[in-house]
Amino acid sequence: MAIQIGQKLNSKEAFELAIFEARKGLGFVAPNPPVGCVILDKEDRLLAVGHHQKFGGAHAEVNAVQSVKDPEKLKGAKVFVTLEPCSHFGKTPPCADLLCGLPVSEVHFGVKDPNPKVSGRGLEKIQSAGIQIVSAPESVQEELQNLIRVFWVNQTEQRCFVALKVASTLDAQMALPNGESQWITGTEARTQGHILRAHYGSILTTAKSVLRDNSSLNARVEPFNEKEIPVFVLDPEGSLASTLKNLNLSKVRRPESLFVITTGAQASRFEGVMASEQICKMETPQGQFSLKEVLQWVWDRGGASVMVEAGPNLISQFVSAKTFDQLELFLAPQIFGVASEMSWSQSLGLTKMSQALKFQKVSYQPLGQDLWISATHRSNFSQ
Amino acid sequence: MAIQIGQKLNSKEAFELAIFEARKGLGFVAPNPPVGCVILDKEDRLLAVGHHQKFGGAHAEVNAVQSVKDPEKLKGAKVFVTLEPCSHFGKTPPCADLLCGLPVSEVHFGVKDPNPKVSGRGLEKIQSAGIQIVSAPESVQEELQNLIRVFWVNQTEQRCFVALKVASTLDAQMALPNGESQWITGTEARTQGHILRAHYGSILTTAKSVLRDNSSLNARVEPFNEKEIPVFVLDPEGSLASTLKNLNLSKVRRPESLFVITTGAQASRFEGVMASEQICKMETPQGQFSLKEVLQWVWDRGGASVMVEAGPNLISQFVSAKTFDQLELFLAPQIFGVASEMSWSQSLGLTKMSQALKFQKVSYQPLGQDLWISATHRSNFSQ
């Protein structure tokens, strides 16, 4: 964004800039949400920006306020923050207290804290200090909510946020009938896939996918090259045990960032290969793991969000169970011809249009010859 | 486009404006191509625009030149035209002759006339009159070629241009398993579908589709409300004969704009219902009509281009035969779950990635919640 200090901004522009700032924290702040802050002086000129840069580090408001060299300029200033300022002592002191002590006239906030225990408290504190509270304009609400979608699900449903990554032809094929799939999409789309690995912060895959592609499942793109991304592998047959140490998966991450979910019968094959706390034993009563149990195990291991990267079998299992929050679909302008087993969905037996899985907050972005569609699904975890 | 007379333009901008002008003729000029013309004065300021407005009417160059009130201004002017000026007497005198008689200094052209018999002749004529010939910049070549894609196929291959219209879910479904499909896409996408009916100028459909939806298959959108769009109906079983007169299809067009393709055995059912020249008798040796024979019949009846609007059965038949030039895909952000018979493609039995049907000149345009993907396929008509 080509915006400079001193430039006059309206409320919508200030929030757009704050969102842009917030996004810089994606991949670094989890399980905290990304937050951005913008300060305009009393004449609506841009004074400072800040974002939450790293988990455990200073919050966006602190970074923005500290970058103002001349405190005089904060008199009558307006603070724009994408998420309600915190009111409690966590790893840092409450931002609401910081703002209360400033001579600013208004605090504009994006979304209230989703945690029902603290929601609204930060704003009350600020208001009682004589600072006017203003909510963000309607035109940026969707983007503001989208920004904290993972944190929202974590806080309100106490569960892991689930994204499905699909690279497909226009006719919904993830591979040729013989399984070949490298590469359906071009380099730009695949690079965005690496960025999403970093943003979502952990990967769920299958032993079959790992053995076929020998993928590292890391994010080979700046600034995420050094980021270690935990991987959870579904391996009901224990087929990974014998080769695990030689796979690229193991070469690019420490043993504590690699998890296997296998059956009680096969778990012994991983003895001596992995530490016991890296192994989840789970049964497959209907021939497959319960996705909810798998996701609970991921959540218990600190997975705030997980991106499912696997073949059509696991992806369509998630689609059929409606157990996902976001679809990250990379569409390549080509046709393979529909073969049921290589499609990323399977028959859902719908009888009415109203039963279709519908998406909200759909964004479209061309990437080279391909198209990236990111869309939010109202999941049925609560059912 | 917010460009005003007197504004200074560079070559790329002049061509973009000429393309914009040309597109105003879409739906009115077939079987002629849409053509636009822009004239800049000797100081590169916009002097005039013009486009071919109607089949049989003045060409773009004529309209642009005639709109210049002061002929003095044409001294040293530059003419930009999307297609090589014609050099022969057709319904109007040759545009090359018109340009040769003007005091202009340069003629910039988009694409050479695809007709090998006349290609380059207009340019030679202009050059021999002492006017400099300049080809369009690389950056607008794709759009210039796209503009005359129908005319190009008509001229170089002497056949009808074929577009497939598909309204589908993200997982390539055109309907629920029970056949329900109204409506997958929203109003904006459906309006664009009506515009495409007018642009392509004729429709190919099936009796099954007509009977299910009782669609008018006209273009209910300005400026095409009054346009009569010929429809060709594949009806191997003659099932349309008894109800044809009561269908919306018949109500919105004259009998001479409605054609039926049926078998010799069923043709008699249409006696007294349609004039014999509206009926095509064709056999179905493999249980279905030969698409090439059907398209030849459409071409022989003046169909420069046809848009196929039908269910997954006919659409996937066209895909499998690779007998199409353009895909007009309207994607709705929802999932039905893949059921083979409702997908718009069927297994193509591919064994290598290189065998996939690939698209060029892919454009993406959000329409409401939906996405319109228009993409060119290198068809295999010549094989």
Side-chain angles (χ1 to χ4, degrees):
Chain A
M1 284 182 112
I3 292 177
Q4 299 193 326
I5 295 291
Q7 192 173 332
K8 210 158 182 169
L9 299 181
N10 63 29
S11 165
K12 177 169 176 280
E13 290 163 342
F15 269 111
E16 283 168 350
L17 180 57
I19 291 166
F20 178 80
E21 288 297 314
R23 293 183 58 82
K24 293 179 182 172
L26 280 170
F28 298 109
V29 299
N32 283 348
V35 182
C37 179
V38 160
I39 307 179
L40 304 185
D41 68 16
K42 62 176 185 290
E43 288 166 332
D44 292 331
R45 292 181 195 284
L46 181 61
L47 193 60
V49 299
H51 70 278
H52 184 33
Q53 298 176 342
K54 203 184 158 182
F55 179 70
H59 285 188
E61 300 91 320
V62 175
N63 285 326
V65 169
Q66 284 184 347
S67 80
V68 178
K69 299 281 175 275
D70 179 4
E72 275 297 303
K73 291 197 173 168
L74 287 171
K75 279 190 183 161
K78 295 171 182 170
V79 177
F80 295 79
V81 58
T82 55
L83 181 67
E84 176 182 1
C86 65
S87 60
H88 58 282
F89 281 86
K91 289 196 178 278
T92 59
C95 292
D97 291 5
L98 168 75
L99 296 176
C100 288
L102 299 178
V104 302
S105 65
E106 299 175 5
V107 169
H108 296 240
F109 71 100
V111 182
K112 280 195 188 178
D113 194 307
N115 184 342
K117 287 185 194 160
V118 299
S119 180
R121 288 209 194 158
L123 297 174
E124 281 166 23
K125 215 179 222 184
I126 293 165
Q127 196 162 26
S128 62
I131 298 170
Q132 199 185 337
I133 296 296
V134 186
S135 57
E138 186 59 34
S139 57
V140 291
Q141 286 290 351
E142 184 170 299
E143 218 177 333
L144 285 162
Q145 287 164 16
N146 201 29
L147 188 63
I148 61 155
R149 62 184 188 232
V150 169
F151 186 64
W152 188 274
V153 158
N154 293 165
Q155 291 289 315
T156 60
E157 303 189 22
Q158 293 295 311
R159 64 168 178 85
C160 175
F161 182 99
V162 181
L164 304 183
K165 186 206 148 186
V166 177
S168 140
T169 60
L170 292 178
D171 57 344
Q173 300 303 291
M174 292 182 72
L176 292 180
N178 64 13
E180 203 182 328
S181 65
Q182 288 183 339
W183 298 103
I184 288 177
T185 53
T187 50
E188 293 92 338
R190 301 208 304 276
T191 298
Q192 183 58 44
H194 284 229
I195 293 171
L196 290 179
R197 285 176 184 166
H199 284 186
Y200 285 113
S202 66
I203 307 287
L204 177 63
T205 188
T206 63
K208 200 175 156 195
S209 290
V210 167
L211 289 172
R212 190 184 54 224
D213 302 336
N214 195 12
S215 168
S216 306
L217 290 176
N218 56 354
R220 298 185 293 282
V221 57
E222 284 300 338
F224 304 117
N225 275 315
E226 301 301 316
K227 188 176 163 72
E228 191 176 78
I229 301 171
V231 170
F232 298 84
V233 188
L234 301 181
D235 189 4
E237 289 156 4
S239 55
L240 224 57
S242 58
T243 53
L244 189 61
K245 294 210 167 169
N246 297 319
L247 292 171
N248 288 332
L249 202 63
S250 303
K251 289 178 185 165
V252 301
R253 52 179 59 75
R254 294 167 301 151
E256 52 265 46
S257 290
L258 193 51
F259 300 89
V260 159
I261 293 140
T262 190
T263 60
Q266 301 295 340
S268 62
R269 300 182 63 178
F270 289 96
E271 277 172 23
V273 177
M274 303 178 85
S276 63
E277 60 268 30
Q278 304 303 115
I279 305 167
C280 171
K281 295 176 200 167
M282 203 176 279
E283 297 318 309
T284 55
Q286 271 93 47
Q288 52 196 25
F289 295 120
S290 151
L291 297 182
K292 285 195 191 183
E293 282 179 38
V294 167
L295 294 169
Q296 181 65 45
W297 201 76
V298 171
W299 173 246
D300 291 343
R301 264 134 212 92
S305 61
V306 71
M307 183 161 79
V308 184
E309 276 200 71
N313 194 23
L314 185 63
I315 294 289
S316 61
Q317 196 185 329
F318 270 94
V319 170
S320 294
K322 302 180 189 175
T323 305
F324 66 103
D325 300 285
Q326 192 80 9
L327 175 67
E328 305 287 3
L329 176 61
F330 295 90
L331 274 185
Q334 51 179 318
I335 291 175
F336 282 176
V338 167
S340 183
E341 67 279 15
M342 293 306 168
S343 304
W344 57 267
S345 76
Q346 297 295 326
S347 174
L348 299 172
L350 306 189
T351 55
K352 291 180 197 165
M353 302 283 284
S354 60
Q355 297 167 328
L357 276 70
K358 292 201 166 60
F359 293 92
Q360 287 87 35
K361 298 176 193 159
V362 184
S363 73
Y364 301 106
Q365 189 177 321
L367 293 172
Q369 272 288 292
D370 307 315
L371 181 76
W372 171 33
I373 301 180
S374 184
T376 301
H377 171 246
R378 192 181 294 276
S379 61
N380 76 346
F381 280 90
S382 52
Q383 289 167 16
Chain B
M1 284 182 112
I3 292 176
Q4 298 193 326
I5 296 293
Q7 192 173 332
K8 211 159 182 168
L9 299 181
N10 63 29
S11 165
K12 177 169 177 278
E13 291 163 342
F15 270 111
E16 283 167 349
L17 180 57
I19 291 166
F20 178 80
E21 287 297 314
R23 292 182 60 81
K24 294 179 182 172
L26 279 170
F28 298 109
V29 300
N32 283 348
V35 182
C37 179
V38 160
I39 307 179
L40 304 185
D41 68 16
K42 63 177 185 289
E43 287 166 331
D44 291 331
R45 293 181 195 283
L46 181 61
L47 193 59
V49 298
H51 70 278
H52 184 33
Q53 297 176 342
K54 202 183 158 183
F55 179 70
H59 285 189
E61 301 92 321
V62 175
N63 285 326
V65 169
Q66 284 184 348
S67 79
V68 179
K69 299 281 175 273
D70 179 4
E72 275 297 302
K73 291 197 172 168
L74 288 170
K75 278 189 182 163
K78 296 171 181 169
V79 177
F80 296 80
V81 58
T82 55
L83 182 66
E84 177 181 1
C86 63
S87 60
H88 58 283
F89 281 84
K91 290 196 178 277
T92 58
C95 292
D97 292 4
L98 168 76
L99 296 176
C100 286
L102 298 178
V104 302
S105 65
E106 298 175 5
V107 169
H108 297 240
F109 72 99
V111 182
K112 280 195 187 178
D113 194 307
N115 183 343
K117 287 186 194 159
V118 297
S119 181
R121 288 208 194 159
L123 297 174
E124 281 166 24
K125 215 179 220 183
I126 293 165
Q127 196 161 28
S128 62
I131 298 169
Q132 199 184 337
I133 297 297
V134 187
S135 56
E138 186 58 34
S139 57
V140 291
Q141 287 289 351
E142 183 170 301
E143 219 178 331
L144 284 162
Q145 287 165 16
N146 201 27
L147 187 64
I148 61 154
R149 62 185 188 233
V150 169
F151 185 65
W152 189 273
V153 158
N154 293 166
Q155 290 289 314
T156 60
E157 303 188 23
Q158 294 294 312
R159 63 167 179 85
C160 175
F161 182 99
V162 181
L164 305 183
K165 187 207 148 187
V166 177
S168 139
T169 60
L170 293 177
D171 57 345
Q173 300 304 290
M174 292 182 72
L176 292 180
N178 64 14
E180 203 182 328
S181 66
Q182 288 184 341
W183 297 103
I184 288 176
T185 53
T187 50
E188 293 92 337
R190 301 207 305 276
T191 298
Q192 183 58 43
H194 283 230
I195 292 171
L196 290 179
R197 285 177 184 165
H199 284 186
Y200 285 114
S202 66
I203 307 287
L204 177 62
T205 188
T206 63
K208 199 175 156 195
S209 290
V210 167
L211 289 172
R212 190 184 55 225
D213 302 337
N214 195 13
S215 168
S216 306
L217 291 176
N218 56 355
R220 296 185 293 282
V221 56
E222 283 300 337
F224 303 117
N225 275 316
E226 301 302 315
K227 188 176 162 71
E228 190 176 79
I229 301 171
V231 169
F232 298 84
V233 188
L234 301 182
D235 189 4
E237 290 157 4
S239 55
L240 224 57
S242 58
T243 52
L244 189 61
K245 294 210 167 167
N246 297 319
L247 291 172
N248 288 333
L249 201 62
S250 303
K251 289 179 186 165
V252 300
R253 52 179 59 76
R254 293 166 302 150
E256 51 265 46
S257 289
L258 192 52
F259 301 88
V260 158
I261 293 140
T262 190
T263 60
Q266 301 295 341
S268 62
R269 300 182 61 180
F270 288 96
E271 276 172 25
V273 178
M274 303 179 85
S276 62
E277 60 267 29
Q278 304 303 116
I279 304 168
C280 171
K281 294 175 199 168
M282 203 177 277
E283 298 317 310
T284 56
Q286 272 93 47
Q288 52 196 26
F289 295 119
S290 152
L291 297 181
K292 285 195 190 183
E293 282 180 37
V294 167
L295 293 169
Q296 182 64 47
W297 201 77
V298 171
W299 173 245
D300 291 343
R301 264 133 212 93
S305 61
V306 70
M307 183 160 80
V308 183
E309 277 200 70
N313 194 23
L314 185 63
I315 294 288
S316 62
Q317 196 185 330
F318 271 94
V319 171
S320 294
K322 302 180 191 176
T323 304
F324 66 102
D325 300 283
Q326 192 80 9
L327 175 67
E328 304 287 3
L329 176 60
F330 295 91
L331 274 185
Q334 51 180 319
I335 291 175
F336 282 176
V338 167
S340 183
E341 67 279 16
M342 294 304 169
S343 304
W344 57 266
S345 76
Q346 297 296 327
S347 174
L348 299 172
L350 306 188
T351 54
K352 289 179 196 165
M353 302 282 284
S354 60
Q355 298 167 326
L357 276 70
K358 291 201 166 61
F359 293 91
Q360 287 87 37
K361 297 176 193 160
V362 184
S363 73
Y364 302 107
Q365 189 177 322
L367 294 172
Q369 272 288 292
D370 307 315
L371 181 75
W372 171 32
I373 301 180
S374 183
T376 301
H377 171 246
R378 192 181 294 275
S379 60
N380 77 345
F381 279 91
S382 53
Q383 288 168 15

